[in-house]
Amino acid sequence: DGGITQSPKYLFRKEGQNVTLSCEQNLNHDAMYWYRQDPGQGLRLIYYSQIVNDFQKGDIAEGYSVSREKKESFPLTVTSAQKNPTAFYLCASRVTLTGTSGAGELFFGEGSRLTVL
Amino acid sequence: AQSVTQPDIHITVSEGASLELRCNYSYGATPYLFWYVQSPGQGLQLLLKYFSGDTLVQGIKGFEAEFKRSQSSFNLRKPSVHWSDAAEYFCAVGAIPGTGRRALTFGSGTRLQVQP
């Protein structure tokens, strides 16, 4: 079945360590997204990528980095510079925005919960 | 800038009762609007979406939503709630090509509790 796979589902990190969250999709979608979810704050956009080898900062990019070397993969690195990294991270994808067809919905993975000890 | 407001943080209804979750948006043009549902510890699932045309949109699981341009609202409704509907619900407004914003903007969510 087509879908988005995030791993790991749970991750614990010591302060000062970088961690990388994996996101893989087999939906053949061009665009991929990373959102952070905190209680009572909804989803906030971290980074997004419209095509391979290109990505843009979202609303809360500080302390995070991404890469898009393959269409299927969009890993997120939470660096030690991120002041409060404990959160639930959601990866999503959708077809590329083109004309009026650009209103496609996002398809989400099951999320990764990161806890800083 | 686009924004989405969900005024109700938490709603409790009895099983079998009707439900309405509120969503107001701020956007300079006709928006693309979405409702998603999230079970605890899970990803988000699309309930329904509005792009254009008929302002009453039908979705999955018996949900519907009505787009009201004059009120900048896109409220979600269900005539009879089931215990399995207990979850968190998110309203979102979509991107329009050429605006520079190419990602959905989400509201803060409404948590629905269903009493037996």
Side-chain angles (χ1 to χ4, degrees), chain A residues 9 33 35 37 40-43 45 48 50 59 88 90 94 97-100 102-106 108-111 113, chain B residues 9 32 34 36 38 41-46 49 51 88 90 94-97 100-109:
Chain A
K9 190 169 179 62
Y33 304 79
Y35 286 88
Q37 186 177 19
Q41 297 193 49
L43 279 69
L45 183 66
Y48 63 100
Q50 299 295 303
D59 301 316
F88 190 55
L90 286 159
R94 69 172 167 180
L97 300 178
T98 52
T100 58
E105 66 267 29
L106 293 181
F108 283 88
E110 292 294 294
R113 183 166 297 282
Chain B
I9 296 173
Y32 298 156
F34 306 83
Y36 284 85
Q38 183 183 35
Q42 301 295 313
L44 276 68
Q45 180 184 22
L46 180 71
K49 58 189 178 185
F51 292 165
E88 188 149 24
F90 292 94
I96 305 294
R101 176 74 179 184
R102 296 184 175 273
L104 298 192
T105 299
F106 287 83
S108 55

Side-chain angles (χ1 to χ4, degrees), chain A:
Chain A
D1 285 355
I4 299 176
T5 301
Q6 290 187 239
S7 63
K9 190 169 179 62
Y10 299 97
L11 185 61
F12 297 89
R13 185 193 98 176
K14 293 181 180 179
E15 284 192 23
Q17 288 182 334
N18 293 355
V19 293
T20 297
L21 307 180
S22 170
C23 178
E24 303 278 335
Q25 55 100 359
N26 59 5
L27 299 167
N28 199 34
H29 286 168
D30 292 306
M32 297 187 72
Y33 304 79
W34 276 105
Y35 286 88
R36 169 178 171 147
Q37 186 177 19
D38 297 280
Q41 297 193 49
L43 279 69
R44 293 182 291 167
L45 183 66
I46 304 172
Y47 267 100
Y48 63 100
S49 169
Q50 299 295 303
I51 57 172
V52 174
N53 293 322
D54 186 50
F55 48 82
Q56 287 78 40
K57 292 182 179 180
D59 301 316
I60 56 165
E62 184 175 353
Y64 299 97
S65 66
V66 293
S67 63
R68 188 83 186 277
E69 298 177 359
K70 299 187 300 182
K71 185 176 184 177
E72 302 79 18
S73 179
F74 191 42
L76 173 74
T77 297
V78 185
T79 75
S80 57
Q82 167 52 231
K83 295 293 189 289
N84 185 20
T86 295
F88 190 55
Y89 292 88
L90 286 159
C91 179
S93 71
R94 69 172 167 180
V95 297
T96 302
L97 300 178
T98 52
T100 58
S101 67
E105 66 267 29
L106 293 181
F107 292 80
F108 283 88
E110 292 294 294
S112 293
R113 183 166 297 282
L114 172 63
T115 302
V116 174
L117 303 174

Side-chain angles (χ1 to χ4, degrees), chain B residues 25-107:
Chain B
Y25 66 89
S26 172
Y27 197 74
T30 300
Y32 298 156
L33 295 160
F34 306 83
W35 274 100
Y36 284 85
V37 62
Q38 183 183 35
S39 297
Q42 301 295 313
L44 276 68
Q45 180 184 22
L46 180 71
L47 285 175
L48 47 80
K49 58 189 178 185
Y50 171 78
F51 292 165
S52 64
D54 193 346
T55 57
L56 186 61
V57 180
Q58 301 298 319
I60 63 171
K61 305 184 180 186
F63 286 92
E64 66 178 26
E66 186 171 12
F67 170 60
K68 293 185 177 180
R69 184 190 303 275
S70 61
Q71 299 178 18
S72 297
S73 69
F74 188 57
N75 294 350
L76 182 71
R77 301 194 296 247
K78 187 170 185 178
S80 178
V81 171
H82 188 262
W83 64 267
S84 61
D85 293 324
E88 188 149 24
Y89 292 80
F90 292 94
C91 182
V93 61
I96 305 294
T99 64
R101 176 74 179 184
R102 296 184 175 273
L104 298 192
T105 299
F106 287 83

